[in-house]
């Protein structure tokens, strides 16, 4: 029974990777189309929203100024998004099957964690569309999912094993789940910040290519969007840190001991606290805070990969 | 802000090195190993506290400066905020059209009056949680000035102040905290006094009176192993230590209670908490000397060496005649021969336990007062009489078996502590031991309380918008009323424009008008 579930889960997983790849292609085609459109538009439409107020807080994401002519239909983007949703459903199926096979939440070793975490990241990406149209991050998110799933399955795969006593705790469920939620928002924030930096460079005429940027929100709008997703991520991360401390107290007898994983969770928290301060510090808005958001997300990825695999610590749960 | 930002980023960077080299606080053995592997580099690193980063002067300096700047920041802001809380919304600006979300509309003559319009606006704003104040402008225009979201700044201040609370609790709590390790063998008990601990780490302000008197006995350690999943055969899936607590009562009696301790499920007792951190086997060994007198009979904790609990232990028989006897033992819970003939264990539970002993005679070196680890044997002044380098090979015993030692110096018995079991069932023949960490940290609760305040303050501060909104009504020539709406963000407020639009719409609806932008 378990074996059947496990192999079904793997089939679903590889299918999800294939579907995401299709979505990724659609999203890149969308960028190509957008570039072509921007090139053709004789008088390039003024991009983005009305000018920001003095505090730079206006947030309207009209993707293209519709007064400039026919609103283009970015069909590839919509197809890409629909395919992403399909891939995600299959992906969630893979997670659920693995969970049933395991008889426990499927995030107690590195393979399962990667499997579930990417599903949550893509899920958050899909869900935020209800709030704002951020589909232009589709290539970034699906690209990320393909790489993460591929690497994890090839390198971290482990058979279903019973949960060691150290991980049998409700805090595993809460702590890890919320950490992944936080990670998802940081991922979106880093994507938006990346776009923001590209927009800045385009505005400064440093890059010629990537004409599609003209069809995306302005750097200011991107910066504000990034801030809004990152503060949500920060709240989750703060909770993760606290839940981790509570679990550590239950499990190891102390709530904080500067174990390597604890250290990195703290470093990430501090970087994003710095990011939030940067946004309120003169001279640090704009590119500098965008870089902080990106560095913060790199630290998150580092914490999961390098720290888990190469640093010694109590969090030796990779299962490898 | 610039200082705070700089110090925050510096703190993040300064925390990195402590994750690259082992730290004494979290991994003392790793530090020793590091010294062995890098004899030249390690002392250099040690001189800059690279193995004690988080208590080093340079790391401490950064976070102390950060908190000084934090206090210097929070105090004036708190004073300012308390004033703001008592103040009224400010005067309506003369020209609203410069502000955010500006909307204007005109009510036709006879529809409404400016007084009625402003009353309605005041009502709506008040119901939406704004603090409101009415003004009359120089040209006779009426306006309502409204502000909301004072809670945002309150949350921010609670957040920052609670951070100070966390730091203070950790600092003060650390000096009152204590912790120690105790190995207890099944059937044995432990009295909570300083002498009973194998190792003990007191905080700066610890005194022995802080140890609540109680006794704790280990009745049984039950271990469950995976036996169905072939990929994880022999995996331990549960450890449950059953204990009996003996708690002295004020009236001089003793309350006796049964309880359990598991990994992830510590036991609160006295003012401390008992954590199950390790376990293993403690084979019971009896040594008789040449005259048949019992020179030693005890269960000896053996240290697990691998996942199948091949365990290593040392037996020191000081009272034997004519010479002291020392033994190095390997316990194989489920023994199986390797190709080489040596033994190994292929399962952690007791299916086929075998004890193998190397025996030495001579001087154990324990009488000179120098403390020696119970887990190591100094054989410098001893002769190997059974083992690889002796004429007699290592002694191998199964539970219940007795073997004579070479040279008529006596005999050794591997006791079966469950002799009544069915034939062939050795599952309880060797006692187990647990290693308990017993700790007390009075700061725990305070840290938790402040942490919850940190989180609550953070969410309040990030998600409650603080904004000002104005509604102005002025009579126009010819009898209509001109209505203006605008807002001002105070801090991040992406929803401002929508909020102003929303108020304008509700206002117009109540007045029966159509808004034009
Ligand atoms: C331990 C050091 C500090 C940490 C971890 C920290 C963290 C944070 C965080 C997470 C926020 C955003 C959430 C909120 O608004 O409540 C924030 C905001 C803020 N912090 Fe700090 N902070 C620290 C020190 C300081 C210091 C020293 C100052 C004074 C210069 C300061 C001034 C502010 C201000 C003015 C805001 C509001 C920014 C805004 O409205 O966007 N903080 N801080």
């Amino acid at each position: 029974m378990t074996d059947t579930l496990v192999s079904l889960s793997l089939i679903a997983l590889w299918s999800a990777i294939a579907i995401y790849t299709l979505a990724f292609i659609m999203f890149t085609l969308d960028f190509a189309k957008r570039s072509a459109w921007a090139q053709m538009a004789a008088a390039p439409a003024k991009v983005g929203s009305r000018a920001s107020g003095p505090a730079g807080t206006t947030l309207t994401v009209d993707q293209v100024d519709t007064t400039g002519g026919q609103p283009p239909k970015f069909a590839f983007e919509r197809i890409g998004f629909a395919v992403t949703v399909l891939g995600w459903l299959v992906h969630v199926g893979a997670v659920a099957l693995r969970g049933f096979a395991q008889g426990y939440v499927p995030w107690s070793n590195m393979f399962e964690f990667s499997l579930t975490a990417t599903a949550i990241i893509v899920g958050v990406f899909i869900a935020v569309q209800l709030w704002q149209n951020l589909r232009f991050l589709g290539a970034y998110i699906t690209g990320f999912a393909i790489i993460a799933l591929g690497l994890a399955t090839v390198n971290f795969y482990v058979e279903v094993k019973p949960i060691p006593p150290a991980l049998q705790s409700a805090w595993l469920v809460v702590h890890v789940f919320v950490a992944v939620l936080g990670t998802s928002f940081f991922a979106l924030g880093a994507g938006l910040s990346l776009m923001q930096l590209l927009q800045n460079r385009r505005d400064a005429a440093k890059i010629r290519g990537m004409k599609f940027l003209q069809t995306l929100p302005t750097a200011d709008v991107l910066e504000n969007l990034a801030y809004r997703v990152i503060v949500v991520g920060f709240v989750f991360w703060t909770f993760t840190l606290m839940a981790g401390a509570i679990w550590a107290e239950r499990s190891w007898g102390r709530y904080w001991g500067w174990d390597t994983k604890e250290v990195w969770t703290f470093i990430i928290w501090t970087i994003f606290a710095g990011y939030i301060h940067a946004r309120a510090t003169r001279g640090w808005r704009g590119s500098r805070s965008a870089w902080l958001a990106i560095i913060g997300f790199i630290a998150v990825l580092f914490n999961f990969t390098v720290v888990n695999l190469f640093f010694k610590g109590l969090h030796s749960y990779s299962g490898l | 802000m610039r200082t705070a930002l700089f110090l925050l980023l510096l703190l993040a960077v300064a925390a990195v090195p402590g994750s690259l080299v082992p730290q004494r606080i979290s991994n003392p053995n790793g530090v020793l190993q590091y010294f062995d592997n890098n004899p030249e580099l390690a002392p250099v690193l040690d001189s800059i506290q690279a193995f004690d980063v988080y208590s080093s002067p340079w790391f401490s300096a950064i976070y102390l400066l950060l908190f000084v700047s934090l206090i210097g920041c929070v105090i004036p802001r708190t004073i300012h905020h308390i004033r703001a809380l008592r103040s009224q919304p400010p005067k309506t600006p003369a020209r609203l059209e410069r502000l955010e979300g500006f909307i204007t509309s005109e009510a036709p003559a006879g529809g409404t009056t400016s007084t009625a319009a402003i009353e309605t606006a005041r009502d709506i704003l008040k119901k939406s949680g704004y603090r409101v104040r009415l003004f009359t402008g120089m040209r006779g225009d009426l306006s309502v000035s409204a502000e909301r979201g004072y809670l945002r700044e309150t949350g921010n201040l609670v957040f920052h102040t609670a951070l100070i609370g966390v730091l203070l609790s950790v600092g003060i709590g650390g000096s009152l905290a204590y912790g120690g390790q105790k190995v207890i063998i099944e059937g044995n008990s432990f009295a909570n006094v300083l002498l009973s601990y194998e190792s003990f780490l007191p905080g700066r302000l610890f005194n022995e009176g802080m140890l609540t008197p109680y006794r704790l006995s280990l009745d049984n350690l039950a271990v469950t192993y995976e036996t169905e999943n072939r990929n994880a055969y022999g995996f331990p899936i549960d450890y449950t230590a059953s204990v009996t607590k003996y708690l002295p009562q004020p009236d001089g009696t003793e309350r006796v209670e049964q309880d359990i301790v598991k990994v992830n499920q510590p036991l609160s007792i006295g003012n401390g908490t008992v954590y199950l951190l390790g376990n293993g086997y403690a084979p019971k060994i009896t040594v008789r000397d040449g005259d048949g007198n019992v020179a030693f009979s005890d269960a000896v904790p053996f240290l697990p060496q691998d996942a199948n609990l091949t365990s290593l232990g040392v037996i020191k028989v000081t009272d034997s005649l004519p010479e002291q006897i020392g033994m190095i033992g390997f316990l194989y819970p489920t023994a199986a021969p390797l190709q080489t003939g040596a033994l190994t264990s292929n399962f952690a539970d007791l299916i086929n336990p075998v004890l193998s002993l190397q025996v030495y005679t001579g001087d154990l070196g324990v009488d000179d007062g120098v403390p020696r680890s119970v887990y190591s044997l100094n054989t410098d002044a001893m002769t190997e009489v059974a083992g690889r380098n002796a004429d007699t090979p290592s002694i191998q015993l199964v539970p219940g078996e007795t073997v004579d030692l070479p040279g008529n110096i006596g005999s050794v018995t591997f006791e079966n502590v469950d002799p009544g079991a069915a034939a062939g069932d050795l599952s309880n023949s060797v006692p187990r031991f647990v290693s308990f960490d017993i700790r007390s940290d009075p700061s725990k609760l305070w840290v938790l309380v402040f942490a919850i305040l940190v989180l609550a303050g953070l969410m309040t501060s990030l998600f409650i918008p603080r904004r000002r909104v104005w509604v102005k009504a002025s009579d126009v020539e010819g009898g209509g009323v001109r209505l203006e709406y605008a807002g001002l963000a105070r801090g991040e407020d992406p929803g401002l424009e929508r909020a102003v639009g929303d108020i304008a719409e509700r206002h117009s609806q109540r007045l029966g008008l159509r808004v034009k932008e």
Side-chain angles (χ1 to χ4, degrees):
Chain A
M1 181 62 186
T2 304
D3 290 346
T4 323
L5 289 173
V6 166
S7 37
L8 282 177
S9 168
L10 273 175
I11 293 170
L13 169 57
W14 285 113
S15 316
I17 293 178
I19 302 173
Y20 284 148
T21 309
L22 192 63
F24 178 80
I25 294 169
M26 290 299 150
F27 283 122
T28 37
L29 283 177
D30 173 54
F31 280 164
K33 275 276 181 201
R34 282 165 180 268
S35 292
W37 180 84
Q39 197 108 41
M40 264 167 36
K46 171 95 179 62
V47 182
S49 63
R50 268 167 283 165
S52 305
T57 46
T58 314
L59 265 183
T60 332
V61 192
D62 332 339
Q63 285 205 327
V64 167
D65 187 22
T66 47
T67 56
Q70 277 286 38
K73 287 219 175 63
F74 295 122
F76 280 115
E77 183 185 79
R78 278 199 254 136
I79 299 170
F81 186 71
V83 175
T84 306
V85 173
L86 178 69
W88 183 69
L89 293 174
V90 177
H91 188 172
V92 169
V95 173
L97 287 166
R98 178 79 187 193
F100 286 128
Q102 176 66 273
Y104 201 66
V105 287
W107 53 77
S108 62
N109 58 51
M110 255 176 100
F111 164 69
E112 290 177 2
F113 178 88
S114 313
L115 174 67
T116 309
T118 26
I120 295 174
I121 290 173
V122 177
V124 167
F125 166 72
I126 292 171
V128 290
Q129 311 303 327
L130 299 173
W131 164 73
Q132 286 281 350
N133 181 355
L134 301 184
R135 276 170 217 167
F136 56 89
L137 291 179
Y140 164 79
I141 292 289
T142 49
F144 178 86
I146 296 161
I147 294 172
L149 286 176
L151 286 180
T153 314
V154 173
N155 295 308
F156 303 153
Y157 187 77
V158 287
E159 297 295 339
V160 165
K161 287 189 183 151
I163 306 296
L167 293 183
Q168 293 168 12
S169 166
W171 289 107
L172 169 83
V173 181
V174 177
H175 170 68
V176 178
F177 184 76
V178 178
V180 177
L181 275 182
T183 303
S184 312
F185 283 91
F186 288 154
L188 290 177
L192 289 162
S193 299
L194 200 68
M195 291 285 186
Q196 176 198 340
L197 289 176
L198 291 176
Q199 282 292 34
N200 274 338
R201 292 187 68 103
R202 188 182 64 92
D203 292 346
K206 287 219 181 85
I207 37 177
R208 292 268 160 66
M210 301 214 234
K211 288 269 191 291
F212 64 88
L213 288 171
Q214 284 181 27
T215 65
L216 298 184
T218 61
D220 259 359
V221 173
L222 288 168
E223 180 175 352
N224 285 312
L225 287 170
Y227 176 78
R228 293 176 72 188
V229 295
I230 287 173
V231 292
V232 175
F234 186 73
V235 169
F236 285 131
W237 199 259
T238 308
F239 181 84
T240 301
L241 198 153
M242 291 175 182
I246 295 173
W247 185 15
E249 192 279 327
R250 298 268 84 192
S251 187
W252 301 324
R254 86 287 181 295
Y255 52 82
W256 195 263
W258 298 106
D259 175 67
T260 43
K261 201 79 184 177
E262 292 170 345
V263 170
W264 275 91
T265 305
F266 170 81
I267 291 172
I268 291 160
W269 191 81
T270 314
I271 294 174
F272 282 105
Y275 167 83
I276 292 172
H277 278 187
R279 288 264 311 170
T281 304
R282 196 153 308 164
W284 276 77
R285 273 185 174 255
S287 298
R288 283 191 183 174
S289 61
W291 274 114
L292 278 182
I294 292 168
I295 292 170
F297 184 57
I298 291 174
V300 172
L301 294 180
F302 184 83
N303 188 26
F304 174 62
T305 52
V306 179
V307 174
N308 276 8
L309 293 173
F310 301 111
F311 290 19
K312 282 223 171 64
L314 291 168
H315 280 77
S316 45
Y317 64 80
S318 66
L320 300 176
Chain B
M1 279 310 264
R2 201 170 291 270
T3 322
L5 172 58
F6 173 72
L7 289 170
L8 271 172
L9 297 180
L10 195 61
L11 187 67
V13 173
V16 174
S19 69
L20 303 177
V21 291
Q23 298 295 297
R24 290 206 171 88
I25 174 179
S26 53
N27 183 6
N29 291 333
V31 176
L32 294 180
Q33 211 171 357
Y34 197 91
F35 267 84
D36 279 349
N37 297 344
N38 309 280
E40 265 148 46
L41 183 60
V44 179
L45 290 179
D46 203 19
S47 67
I48 52 167
Q49 291 101 23
F51 303 109
D52 304 285
V53 165
Y54 306 105
S55 53
S56 69
W58 50 273
F59 190 79
S60 312
I62 298 172
Y63 74 75
L64 289 177
L65 278 176
L66 184 58
F67 277 86
V68 168
S69 108
L70 181 57
I71 294 168
C73 177
V74 163
I75 291 174
R77 276 174 63 197
T78 309
I79 296 171
H80 185 259
H81 185 54
I82 289 172
R83 267 196 220 123
L85 278 177
R86 280 194 258 121
S87 68
Q88 291 289 320
K91 202 162 162 261
T92 309
R95 302 177 58 181
L96 289 183
E97 62 270 27
R98 293 238 197 103
L99 296 168
E100 259 171 83
F102 178 71
I103 296 174
T104 179
S105 68
E106 217 155 283
T112 181
T113 63
S114 50
T115 325
I118 285 304
E119 265 314 310
T120 314
R122 193 176 80 129
D123 200 44
I124 290 172
L125 285 164
K126 224 171 161 174
K127 286 222 178 86
S128 324
Y130 285 80
R131 184 177 291 186
V132 294
R133 191 173 164 198
L134 296 182
F135 288 96
T136 309
M138 285 196 291
R139 272 173 260 118
D141 49 309
L142 298 178
S143 64
V144 51
S145 168
E147 178 154 4
R148 57 151 289 155
Y150 296 86
L151 214 50
R152 182 185 183 92
E153 181 71 0
T154 310
N156 182 299
L157 291 170
V158 166
F159 167 81
H160 285 90
T161 312
L163 282 180
I164 303 173
V166 170
L167 187 74
L168 285 180
S169 315
V170 171
I172 296 171
S175 53
L176 291 168
Y178 62 82
Q181 275 88 42
K182 177 65 194 168
V183 166
I184 312 180
I185 298 163
E186 281 175 328
N188 291 13
S189 73
F190 152 83
N192 190 28
V193 293
L194 203 48
L195 266 179
S196 340
Y197 285 91
E198 259 104 50
S199 66
F200 196 82
L201 202 73
R204 248 184 321 113
L205 300 177
F206 171 79
N207 66 62
E208 238 192 296
M210 289 177 176
L211 295 174
T212 356
Y214 63 79
R215 270 188 320 125
L216 190 67
S217 73
L218 175 67
D219 304 327
N220 165 260
L221 174 71
V223 185
T224 315
Y225 297 98
E226 174 67 49
T227 50
E228 280 171 17
N229 181 341
R230 262 177 297 114
N231 293 317
Y233 189 77
F235 248 53
I237 47 182
D238 184 62
Y239 300 108
T240 302
S242 305
V243 295
T244 307
K245 305 183 282 189
Y246 302 88
L247 309 161
Q249 299 299 301
D251 61 9
T253 60
E254 204 172 41
R255 206 170 77 222
V256 181
E257 284 173 14
Q258 310 284 327
D259 218 323
I260 59 166
V261 191
K262 291 165 76 113
V263 181
N264 271 314
Q265 191 181 318
L267 168 72
S268 279
I269 182 167
N271 55 11
T273 313
V274 179
Y275 302 89
L276 174 58
L277 288 196
N279 72 90
Y281 289 109
K284 184 170 182 199
I285 292 153
T286 299
V287 179
R288 291 186 173 76
D289 65 16
D291 300 337
N293 301 318
V294 173
F296 179 94
S297 183
D298 215 347
V300 182
F302 275 36
L303 294 181
Q305 308 293 305
D306 62 24
N308 287 326
L309 289 192
T310 300
S311 307
L312 172 64
V314 162
I315 298 126
K316 296 179 185 177
V317 187
T318 49
D319 296 338
S320 57
L321 289 170
E323 278 184 303
Q324 293 182 323
I325 299 172
M327 296 188 262
I328 298 176
F330 276 96
L331 175 74
Y332 307 94
T334 298
L338 290 171
Q339 300 266 277
T340 60
L343 288 177
T344 184
S345 173
N346 57 19
F347 192 58
D349 209 354
L350 297 165
I351 293 176
N352 172 31
V354 170
L355 179 67
S356 144
L357 295 168
Q358 267 165 275
V359 184
Y360 297 81
T361 57
D363 182 6
L364 286 167
V366 294
D367 305 326
D368 55 7
V370 182
R372 300 253 192 268
S373 163
V374 293
Y375 297 110
S376 71
L377 185 70
N378 180 356
T379 56
D380 291 352
M382 307 195 86
T383 323
E384 187 168 342
V385 294
R388 222 171 305 141
N389 307 313
D391 297 338
T392 318
S394 300
I395 294 175
Q396 291 193 349
L397 296 161
V398 297
E401 192 181 10
T402 301
V403 167
D404 283 338
L405 292 168
N408 283 334
I409 54 171
S411 69
V412 56
T413 309
F414 179 15
E415 305 280 0
N416 181 347
V417 297
D418 183 25
D425 174 14
L426 294 171
S427 59
N428 289 311
S429 59
V430 183
R432 291 179 185 259
F433 74 86
V434 298
S435 156
F436 279 148
D437 253 39
I438 301 172
R439 292 174 187 248
S440 165
D441 184 347
S443 73
K444 264 187 330 203
L445 191 66
W446 286 104
V447 175
L448 182 64
V449 168
F450 283 119
I452 291 170
L453 285 175
V454 164
L455 194 63
L458 181 68
M459 299 210 290
T460 314
S461 159
L462 289 176
F463 301 131
I464 291 190
R466 179 154 185 204
R467 57 173 73 121
R468 289 184 180 153
V469 170
W470 292 278
V471 181
K472 195 187 270 187
S474 36
D475 295 322
V476 286
E477 283 168 48
V481 180
R482 180 180 149 85
L483 297 168
E484 292 166 81
Y485 310 85
L488 179 71
R490 310 210 49 203
E492 301 280 347
D493 186 2
L496 178 65
E497 217 165 306
R498 204 179 313 141
V500 175
D502 189 44
I503 283 165
E505 193 172 316
R506 273 156 59 203
H507 190 227
S508 313
Q509 262 174 12
R510 285 264 298 265
L511 295 176
L513 305 171
R514 263 196 72 221
V515 189
K516 69 168 186 282
E517 217 168 300

